[in-house]
Amino acid sequence: MLIIGLAVWGFQERQMKKNVMIHAENHYQQAFHELNYYVDSLEESLGTTLAMQTRDTMRPQLVETWRLSALAHAAANELPLTLMPFNRTNEFLSHVGEFTYNTGVKSTNDRKLSDKEYKNLQQLYSESRTIRDGLRDVQAKVMKDHLRWMDVEYVLQDKNQNQDNQVIDGMKRIDNQATEYTDSFSPENPKNVVLQKKNLNPIKGTEVSGSQAVSHLKKWTGLSNAQVVRVAKAGKGSNVPAYEINMKAKKRSLSASVTKKGGHVIWYLFERPVRKETLSLYEASQRSGNYLKQHAFKNMELTKRNKYNHVAVLTYVLRKDNIRVYPASIRIKVALDNGEILAFDQTDYLFNKCDNVPLKPGMSEAEVQKQLNKNLKVQETDLAVFQNATLKNVLCYEFFATRGNDTYHVLLNAANGNQEKVELLKE
């Protein structure tokens, strides 16, 4: 009995240790992917700022860049990198934080950036691209070779061990490429801006039960034989009453949300690894377009086609009276190995109220175009409804313009010419 007891105790100890290691590894993986995301967003935000004209129009973007630099700092600090040199990259993030705080948050004047400030901004943008590319390379190796951050921690802790590790080598390479900055990081953290709730579009239809919501989901996805794992009412933070549903089909998990009223599928995710590509982005867009037609969506226009890890992410917006209505958007993920629809999200299309937006511009296109940065070369112009930072839907002129090798999407208010958004379009 004593031997059996010791065996059980030993097994339980091993299980507890295994669970702790799994939890730690998941924490590290999440922190690293967050670091990649924030640095990626930081690079885009800095590039966007370069296309803006005055400090007044730059200020919201500089505040956003400041916020992203703080979040990137926090994510980097969650990784087991304190045992290895990562100083230069952290100093870069600190420099971004201090520069954007001083020029966008602390400064109250609306003058243009000085030549020195603009040159500094360009340098930060160039630097961010180098760091972004380095992190992407490490991320690709981590995912391809299933590398573990716990192994990184063990190697770093063992000073007698030769530090031969792909992740360590990659992070050191990023650090060596980073320009050395000595300015200290501004300690202030950006405040969370509490935005008012959206004016929700009233959902149509009669109320459905949990089992009826499951039936709607199975019909929508075509997975009639899926096994139901869990059905629960959405939490208090949800905008509308809905059911959260988990199912299993084809040995994979499916998560979804279905409205209680009308049984509308808000979103679903049927994730799986995609190892290869046999379809192009064009072919994927044909699959997603057919998918929308099958589900009776009309007048939807494809506005974005992106590709991540052999998966196409396609964004559609409603076209109304020949005007793009961006708040009414739908996103679809398509596997590029066989064209399977992996995810669908119509949250914005379903909930955003866009019927009360006046669709007649108050200013001419030529008048509004004068507000653009003179360094931008306009390639295409259109009218569009856009939801601005205050969650108000406004009619805008949208300009697709270039500056050097970069392409920008600029939205200016059609009533007064004010800048609503500047977006750096990625390749």
Side-chain angles (χ1 to χ4, degrees):
M1 289 295 292
L2 179 61
I3 295 173
I4 295 173
L6 286 171
V8 171
W9 176 81
F11 174 77
Q12 290 175 337
E13 283 288 299
R14 285 195 299 274
Q15 281 297 111
M16 286 178 65
K17 187 176 180 181
K18 183 180 178 182
N19 290 338
V20 170
M21 289 180 65
I22 290 172
H23 178 76
E25 178 63 22
N26 290 341
H27 177 75
Y28 286 149
Q29 291 284 355
Q30 181 181 349
F32 180 60
H33 289 303
E34 285 179 352
L35 175 62
N36 272 272
Y37 174 78
Y38 292 134
V39 170
D40 213 342
S41 301
L42 183 71
E43 179 265 340
E44 183 178 350
S45 189
L46 285 166
T48 298
T49 310
L50 287 170
M52 296 179 177
Q53 182 80 330
T54 65
R55 193 184 298 261
D56 186 49
T57 57
M58 283 181 176
R59 186 167 285 114
Q61 197 67 42
L62 288 167
V63 171
E64 173 65 7
T65 309
W66 176 46
R67 183 184 75 87
L68 290 167
S69 68
L71 291 169
H73 248 299
N77 290 336
E78 292 296 319
L79 292 171
L81 299 173
T82 52
L83 299 171
M84 66 175 277
F86 202 55
N87 300 330
R88 291 182 180 180
T89 304
N90 272 323
E91 284 175 11
F92 163 75
L93 293 172
S94 298
H95 194 80
V96 172
E98 186 172 28
F99 176 85
T100 51
Y101 176 77
N102 288 331
T103 55
V105 183
K106 191 175 179 181
S107 176
T108 56
N109 65 67
D110 293 331
R111 66 169 176 81
K112 293 182 181 180
L113 294 188
S114 66
D115 290 342
K116 183 180 178 181
E117 287 173 324
Y118 195 80
K119 185 178 179 181
N120 200 353
L121 186 62
Q122 286 180 311
Q123 186 180 3
L124 291 172
Y125 175 53
S126 176
E127 192 79 20
S128 67
R129 300 190 83 166
T130 302
I131 294 174
R132 178 206 66 183
D133 291 340
L135 284 171
R136 282 182 176 179
D137 287 342
V138 175
Q139 186 179 41
K141 287 178 182 177
V142 168
M143 297 180 72
K144 180 182 177 183
D145 299 330
H146 305 288
L147 303 177
R148 300 194 321 157
W149 281 93
M150 290 300 294
D151 295 337
V152 174
E153 189 170 38
Y154 291 146
V155 172
L156 291 170
Q157 286 177 341
D158 190 349
K159 295 181 180 179
N160 299 319
Q161 204 178 112
N162 179 25
Q163 293 189 352
D164 182 18
N165 182 281
Q166 290 186 69
V167 175
I168 295 174
D169 292 343
M171 298 306 264
K172 282 184 177 178
R173 188 163 53 251
I174 295 167
D175 204 48
N176 289 333
Q177 289 171 342
T179 303
E180 190 166 7
Y181 290 106
T182 56
D183 293 328
S184 60
F185 178 60
S186 178
E188 295 86 356
N189 289 320
K191 295 179 181 179
N192 290 323
V193 180
V194 181
L195 299 174
Q196 63 189 39
K197 282 191 174 181
K198 296 178 182 179
N199 292 322
L200 296 179
N201 205 25
I203 304 301
K204 298 177 181 178
T206 57
E207 287 199 359
V208 298
S209 64
S211 59
Q212 288 173 319
V214 168
S215 297
H216 281 269
L217 179 61
K218 286 184 176 182
K219 184 178 179 181
W220 187 276
T221 57
L223 300 171
S224 56
N225 296 322
Q227 176 189 353
V228 179
V229 177
R230 174 179 172 270
V231 180
K233 291 182 180 179
K236 292 181 180 179
S238 128
N239 284 328
V240 295
Y243 295 101
E244 294 175 350
I245 301 172
N246 297 99
M247 302 193 305
K248 277 193 175 181
K250 302 178 183 178
K251 297 181 180 179
R252 289 148 54 196
S253 297
L254 182 144
S255 302
S257 181
V258 179
T259 62
K260 190 173 182 181
K261 191 172 184 180
H264 303 281
V265 177
I266 304 171
W267 61 265
Y268 78 81
L269 179 64
F270 196 36
E271 201 68 89
R272 67 170 171 83
V274 182
R275 306 293 185 192
K276 60 181 181 179
E277 292 181 26
T278 60
L279 300 175
S280 66
L281 274 175
Y282 173 74
E283 290 171 316
S285 65
Q286 286 183 311
R287 300 287 180 104
S288 58
N290 290 334
Y291 180 85
L292 290 175
K293 289 178 182 177
Q294 289 169 10
H295 291 89
F297 288 101
K298 297 179 180 179
N299 303 320
M300 302 302 296
E301 180 180 348
L302 179 63
T303 56
K304 278 188 181 180
R305 296 191 300 180
N306 295 319
K307 183 171 69 173
Y308 305 100
N309 299 323
H310 314 307
V311 173
V313 182
L314 304 133
T315 303
Y316 290 82
V317 301
L318 179 66
R319 188 87 179 184
K320 182 180 179 181
D321 296 337
N322 207 31
I323 295 172
R324 293 190 185 107
V325 184
Y326 282 104
S329 64
I330 294 174
R331 281 163 293 280
I332 299 173
K333 289 175 70 174
V334 181
L336 291 176
D337 55 358
N338 62 5
E340 181 182 24
I341 305 296
L342 296 179
F344 165 82
D345 184 353
Q346 66 161 334
T347 306
D348 292 336
Y349 181 87
L350 201 58
F351 296 142
N352 278 330
K353 191 173 184 179
C354 307
D355 293 337
N356 54 349
V357 182
L359 299 181
K360 187 176 181 180
M363 295 176 66
S364 70
E365 179 186 324
E367 288 174 318
V368 172
Q369 189 168 333
K370 291 178 183 177
Q371 307 300 319
L372 283 176
N373 186 309
K374 293 180 181 178
N375 294 320
L376 294 179
K377 187 176 180 181
V378 176
Q379 305 294 334
E380 183 185 333
T381 310
D382 209 338
L383 279 171
V385 174
F386 171 72
Q387 190 174 82
N388 64 19
T390 62
L391 301 182
K392 182 181 179 182
N393 293 328
V394 293
L395 182 66
C396 296
Y397 284 101
E398 62 174 344
F399 300 92
F400 291 90
T402 55
R403 187 190 69 87
N405 294 324
D406 291 327
T407 302
Y408 296 88
H409 179 208
V410 184
L411 288 153
L412 302 181
N413 196 301
N416 52 32
N418 290 343
Q419 177 184 287
E420 296 291 350
K421 185 178 177 66
V422 176
E423 180 183 15
L424 175 64
L425 299 180
K426 295 186 178 182
E427 296 176 2

